[in-house]
C-alpha cells in the first residue's frame, strides 16, 4: 500500500548506509503481500478482516528500476520470496508445511494454538519466519542483517554498519530495535549484527516458549477464541492466556521472546515512521490516539517531531517519497 512512498527512502537511508558499494554487496530479500489483515472488533472472529489486494505490482517492481540510480550494477541483488496473499489458502498451506517440518510435538501444538487463536498476529510472525527461512536457503555469506517493514519511511540515514561494529558488545546476541519504546521491543525494524542474532529474532520456536507468547491483547475476546479452538479440537493450557491485555501486546511479546532466547535487547534512535494510508498516506505516530498515550511516549523528541513535520507536508499535498 505504501511502497511507492517508501521504497526510495529504504534504499537511500537504510540499505545504503549499512552496505555501501563498492566494499559491500547488499542482498534484499522481499516478502510481499498485496492484501492486508486489520483487527476486527472485540467480539468478532480473531482472524480480523482481510483487505483484498488493490495493486497488481510486485515488490521487485518498486525496487528494480532504482537499482542503477543508487547502487552500481551487481551491488544490490533482489531476492523475491515465493509469496502468498495474506488470508489465502496458499498461506495456510505454507503454515502446514512449516509445521510438518518441526519434530517437537509440543512446539507444533503451541504454534497451532496461536495460529488459530490469534491468526492475525500469527500471520505477521509467520511471514517473517517464512522469509528468513527462504533467506537461509539462499546460503548467502552475510555478516549483518537488517529487518524492516516495507511501509517504513526513513527520513534520515540509518546508523552505519561501522557504528554497530564499534558499539555492539556481543555480535551473536545483540539485537538493536527502535528506541521509540522504553521497556518493550518495537517490531518495526531491527539491526542484527550477525546471522546468529538474526536466527534468534526470527525464530518461531522461541516465540512459543512458555512465558513468551500468550493469547490476549487488543481486539481478542477469550470466549470467542475458546469457541474457535474447541471447533478445531485444540486444547489450551491455562498458562497460555495473557494475565491482562497489556501482556498481549506484540512489542511486549517480542521483548520476552528475545530475552528468553538469551538475546541482548538494545535500543537505537532512527528517524523512521510508519505510513498507514486509509485513503492518503498518514504518519502513524501523529494520530490522536498516539498523542493521548496509546503508544508509549518516545524517549527522544526527534522521531516525534520528524513524524509531525512529515504528516503536515503530506496533508499539504507533497509526495512523501520526494521529501
Amino acid at each position: 500500500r505504501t511502497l511507492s512512498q517508501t521504497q526510495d527512502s529504504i534504499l537511500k537511508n537504510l540499505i545504503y548506509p549499512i552496505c555501501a558499494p563498492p566494499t559491500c554487496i547488499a542482498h534484499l530479500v522481499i516478502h510481499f503481500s498485496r492484501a492486508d489483515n486489520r483487527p476486527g472488533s472485540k467480539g468478532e472472529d480473531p482472524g480480523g478482516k482481510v483487505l483484498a489486494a488493490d495493486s497488481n505490482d510486485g515488490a521487485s517492481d518498486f525496487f528494480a528500476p532504482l537499482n542503477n540510480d543508487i547502487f552500481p550494477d551487481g551491488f544490490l541483488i533482489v531476492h523475491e520470496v515465493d509469496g502468498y496473499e495474506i488470508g489465502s489458502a496458499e498461506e495456510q498451506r505454507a503454515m502446514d508445511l512449516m509445521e510438518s517440518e518441526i519434530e517437537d510435538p509440543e512446539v507444533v501444538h503451541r504454534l497451532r494454538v496461536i495460529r488459530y487463536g490469534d491468526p492475525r498476529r500469527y500471520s505477521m510472525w509467520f511471514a517473517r519466519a517464512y522469509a528468513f527461512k527462504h533467506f537461509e536457503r539462499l546460503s548467502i555469506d552475510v555478516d549483518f542483517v537488517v529487518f524492516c517493514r516495507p511501509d517504513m519511511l526513513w527520513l534520515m540515514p540509518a546508523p552505519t554498519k561501522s557504528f554497530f561494529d564499534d558499539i555492539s558488545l556481543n555480535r551473536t546476541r545483540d539485537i538493536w530495535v527502535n528506541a521509540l519504546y522504553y521497556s518493550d521491543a518495537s517490531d518495526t525494524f531491527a539491526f542484527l549484527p550477525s546471522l546468529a542474532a538474526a536466527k534468534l529474532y526470527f525464530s518461531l520456536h522461541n516465540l512459543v516458549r512458555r512465558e513468551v507468547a500468550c493469547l490476549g491483547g487488543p481486539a481478542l475476546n477469550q470466549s470467542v477464541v475458546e469457541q474457535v479452538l474447541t471447533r478445531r479440537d485444540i486444547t489450551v493450557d491455562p498458562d497460555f492466556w495473557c494475565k491482562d491485555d497489556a501482556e498481549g501486546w506484540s512489542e511486549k511479546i517480542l521483548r520476552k521472546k528475545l530475552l528468553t532466547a538469551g538475546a541482548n535487547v538494545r535500543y537505537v534512535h532512527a528517524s523512521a515512521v510508519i505510513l498507514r494510508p486509509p485513503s492518503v498516506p498518514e504518519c502513524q505516530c501523529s494520530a490522536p490516539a498516539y498523542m493521548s498515550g496509546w503508544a508509549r511516549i518516545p524517549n527522544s523528541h526527534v522521531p516525534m517531531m520528524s513524524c509531525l513535520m512529515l504528516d503536515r507536508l503530506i496533508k499539504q499535498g507533497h509526495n512523501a517519497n520526494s521529501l
Side-chain angles (χ1 to χ4, degrees):
R1 295 174 294 127
T2 54
L3 268 175
S4 61
Q5 301 284 330
T6 62
Q7 95 281 15
D8 194 39
S9 76
I10 291 173
L11 286 170
K12 290 180 178 178
N13 289 336
L14 177 60
I15 301 176
Y16 192 89
I18 292 291
C19 188
T23 59
C24 182
I25 297 176
H27 291 265
L28 177 60
V29 178
I30 304 173
H31 188 210
F32 184 67
S33 172
R34 295 165 299 163
D36 195 10
N37 195 339
R38 298 293 183 85
S41 68
K42 195 79 171 178
E44 292 179 335
D45 186 287
K49 300 177 180 179
V50 176
L51 303 181
D54 58 1
S55 169
N56 293 321
D57 296 323
S60 59
D61 297 333
F62 288 103
F63 289 99
L66 296 173
N67 287 356
N68 292 331
D69 292 340
I70 302 174
F71 289 85
D73 187 39
F75 284 93
L76 176 64
I77 303 172
V78 179
H79 309 270
E80 191 160 4
V81 177
D82 293 332
Y84 49 76
E85 300 294 354
I86 290 173
S88 67
E90 290 78 13
E91 180 186 43
Q92 295 302 309
R93 284 194 288 270
M95 292 177 179
D96 289 339
L97 178 59
M98 186 172 288
E99 289 174 9
S100 71
E101 296 172 348
I102 298 173
E103 297 180 356
D104 189 333
E106 182 180 3
V107 171
V108 174
H109 172 72
R110 294 180 73 85
L111 284 174
R112 288 176 62 80
V113 171
I114 300 178
R115 173 180 172 182
Y116 293 107
D118 193 355
R120 190 180 69 87
R121 286 197 295 179
Y122 181 73
S123 175
M124 174 187 71
W125 289 323
F126 173 81
R128 296 171 184 184
Y130 181 82
F132 183 69
K133 186 174 183 179
H134 176 90
F135 163 73
E136 288 186 301
R137 286 197 295 265
L138 296 173
S139 298
I140 303 170
D141 184 17
V142 299
D143 59 2
F144 198 92
V145 179
V146 177
F147 162 73
C148 176
R149 290 174 49 142
D151 57 357
M152 293 293 292
L153 183 74
W154 292 78
L155 302 171
M156 296 180 66
T160 63
K161 179 180 177 297
S162 61
F163 167 84
F164 292 103
D165 289 341
D166 292 340
I167 202 170
S168 292
L169 301 177
N170 188 329
R171 289 174 52 83
T172 63
R173 295 289 177 179
D174 285 354
I175 291 176
W176 297 85
V177 297
N178 193 347
L180 192 64
Y181 296 84
Y182 276 120
S183 58
D184 300 324
S186 171
D187 58 0
T188 52
F189 65 80
F191 296 99
L192 311 164
S194 68
L195 187 58
K199 289 180 178 180
L200 294 178
Y201 186 85
F202 292 106
S203 169
L204 287 179
H205 290 65
N206 293 335
L207 173 69
V208 295
R209 289 186 178 191
R210 294 187 182 275
E211 306 300 326
V212 178
C214 60
L215 290 174
L220 195 142
N221 184 302
Q222 181 170 337
S223 62
V224 175
V225 172
E226 287 175 338
Q227 294 172 27
V228 171
L229 296 176
T230 298
R231 287 196 298 269
R232 291 190 170 273
D233 197 27
I234 298 175
T235 59
V236 185
D237 294 334
D239 72 326
F240 227 121
W241 297 104
C242 299
K243 296 180 180 67
D244 53 53
D245 280 352
E247 191 182 21
W249 286 97
S250 300
E251 296 83 1
K252 188 174 291 291
I253 290 174
L254 176 58
R255 187 172 186 272
K256 288 193 296 183
K257 166 189 169 179
L258 298 176
L259 293 178
T260 303
N264 303 319
V265 179
R266 310 295 192 194
Y267 297 90
V268 62
H269 292 288
S271 289
V273 294
I274 300 173
L275 294 186
R276 295 182 185 274
S279 56
V280 295
E282 181 177 332
C283 185
Q284 182 198 26
C285 68
S286 65
Y290 183 96
M291 299 296 286
S292 63
W294 176 81
R296 289 169 180 77
I297 300 300
N299 53 5
S300 169
H301 67 278
V302 176
M304 174 66 80
M305 292 306 299
S306 297
C307 189
L308 294 173
M309 291 171 63
L310 172 66
D311 183 68
R312 181 178 179 182
L313 289 169
I314 289 174
K315 289 177 179 177
Q316 290 175 349
H318 296 278
N319 185 304
N321 201 38
S322 66
L323 300 178

